[in-house]
Amino acid sequence: MSDWISLLVESLVAVGTLSLAVMVLLQMRESRKALARQIHAEQLRDFLEQWREAIERAYVEKHTIFRQRYTPSNVVESNPLFDDVKAHLHKESGLMESHSRYTKHWMKFRQAGYSLYERIRTDSCAKTDEKLTTGSETGLRDAFITTLNEQYLTYASKNEVEYKESVAHRIEGQTSTTGRRRVIFMGSGSEIAVVEDKSKASVVRDTHKQMLRDYTNSRYNDLAARLVETSSEINTEVENLYREIDELIAQPLFAGDCKYIQRSLAGGSRWRKLFKNRN
């Protein structure tokens, strides 16, 4: 009888020990899971902060529309956490829908911006019989194009001109040996061309003046109006994205166990080894 009782006691002790071990194992796993969630939530918040900053840099302003070079895929979608954040969104979140609209607006914006810039560049080079160049080469400088771009966009956005009728230019000699002339647009203080002689400089100056006053030309104004309209759509979507991102940043934790959390808990053999070491 005593042997039977001893066997029962030993069995109960073994079951109790096993139960305790299982509880310890489950508690350790839950602690590890909670830690993984906490760390991952911090990573997601850091990513969302970076996303917000990227949006701020892309915010469209009237005088910099033509300079926008933002490509959403390079800044946001290339980050592995972009796809991951989808797994943690609550049902009411409209983040991804807003981002999709934002990206489409930007594609439309960039296409119109490129078309306007190229149209102005083509016309400028044809009217002056000069190429767009840099450095020591003679020709038109980028400022020749961009000042016109700003002019047309200003008219399209505010229905008034940026540079008044009395626009001023200055022609100055670049060097005494080459006889080249620099054309400076006083409206911006920018060098808009470097040419071989004063006669050519006068042609460039007069062409630039005439084109600055050509802001009602539908060849430019239709595209400029499309850019201004699209920029307004982008800025509206920016506000939506700010709100959606800020709401997510405010969350202490994110719902759902994504692949990164699951991977951090993988490796059952390691848990068995850990359990074995503790006994």
Side-chain angles (χ1 to χ4, degrees):
M1 184 68 177
S2 60
D3 291 341
W4 180 84
I5 294 175
S6 297
L7 181 60
L8 178 61
V9 170
E10 290 177 0
S11 298
L12 291 174
V13 170
V15 171
T17 302
L18 180 60
S19 299
L20 180 61
V22 170
M23 290 177 59
V24 170
L25 181 61
L26 291 175
Q27 289 176 353
M28 292 174 63
R29 181 175 176 81
E30 286 303 312
S31 297
R32 183 181 177 89
K33 190 173 185 178
L35 179 60
R37 282 177 170 173
Q38 181 181 352
I39 293 173
H40 191 55
E42 293 173 359
Q43 293 172 334
L44 288 172
R45 277 192 291 272
D46 288 343
F47 166 68
L48 290 168
E49 292 281 4
Q50 294 169 9
W51 189 348
R52 201 184 196 286
E53 289 176 6
I55 294 170
E56 289 174 350
R57 289 197 297 272
Y59 202 89
V60 178
E61 296 180 2
K62 179 190 65 179
H63 292 298
T64 60
I65 286 177
F66 66 91
R67 294 195 182 98
Q68 299 298 326
R69 295 292 183 269
Y70 177 72
T71 305
S73 60
N74 289 344
V75 177
V76 177
E77 284 126 340
S78 60
N79 191 314
L81 291 178
F82 174 75
D83 286 325
D84 180 69
V85 78
K86 300 175 187 177
H88 301 285
L89 296 177
H90 53 85
K91 291 189 298 183
E92 293 78 15
S93 176
L95 176 64
M96 290 304 167
E97 291 78 5
S98 181
H99 176 73
S100 178
R101 292 191 298 268
Y102 174 74
T103 304
K104 288 178 181 178
H105 290 327
W106 262 106
M107 292 300 295
K108 176 182 173 183
F109 181 88
R110 290 168 60 214
Q111 289 169 357
Y114 178 79
S115 297
L116 177 60
Y117 184 90
E118 282 299 294
R119 189 167 293 180
I120 296 171
R121 183 191 65 79
T122 299
D123 290 352
S124 299
C125 292
K127 290 175 183 292
T128 61
D129 195 27
E130 293 286 344
K131 295 179 179 180
L132 188 63
T133 58
T134 59
S136 60
E137 295 183 68
T138 58
L140 303 182
R141 297 300 188 242
D142 194 57
F144 189 104
I145 318 299
T146 57
T147 51
L148 295 173
N149 210 324
E150 288 185 7
Q151 175 79 324
Y152 303 150
L153 287 169
T154 301
Y155 176 78
S157 62
K158 297 175 63 178
N159 201 30
E160 63 182 51
V161 294
E162 174 72 5
Y163 306 111
K164 306 304 179 182
E165 289 297 311
S166 57
V167 290
H169 297 70
R170 184 175 72 245
I171 298 175
E172 31 178 75
Q174 187 173 14
T175 66
S176 58
T177 55
T178 64
R180 290 180 177 180
R181 295 292 187 273
R182 300 170 64 228
V183 185
I184 310 297
F185 176 45
M186 303 306 293
S188 64
S190 303
E191 178 184 88
I192 61 172
V194 175
V195 292
E196 291 291 350
D197 52 51
K198 189 172 182 179
S199 175
K200 191 65 179 179
S202 297
V203 171
V204 169
R205 176 198 60 197
D206 294 344
T207 301
H208 193 248
K209 281 186 176 182
Q210 186 276 325
M211 292 185 74
L212 281 169
R213 295 168 181 149
D214 203 19
Y215 46 81
T216 60
N217 190 330
S218 62
R219 179 169 170 77
Y220 311 122
N221 196 252
D222 290 351
L223 279 171
R226 190 187 309 169
L227 272 170
V228 172
E229 178 184 358
T230 308
S231 70
S232 177
E233 294 171 343
I234 291 173
N235 290 343
T236 297
E237 211 56 59
V238 162
E239 298 302 326
N240 292 334
L241 282 170
Y242 282 167
R243 183 178 63 256
E244 295 288 350
I245 290 175
D246 287 344
E247 286 186 0
L248 286 173
I249 291 175
Q251 289 183 207
L253 291 175
F254 295 86
D257 291 339
C258 65
K259 63 182 180 181
Y260 297 112
I261 293 177
Q262 292 170 358
R263 287 173 184 172
S264 70
L265 300 176
S269 61
R270 291 199 300 272
W271 284 99
R272 285 193 293 271
K273 290 179 181 178
L274 182 60
F275 172 72
K276 183 178 179 180
N277 292 335
R278 290 175 61 89
N279 291 273

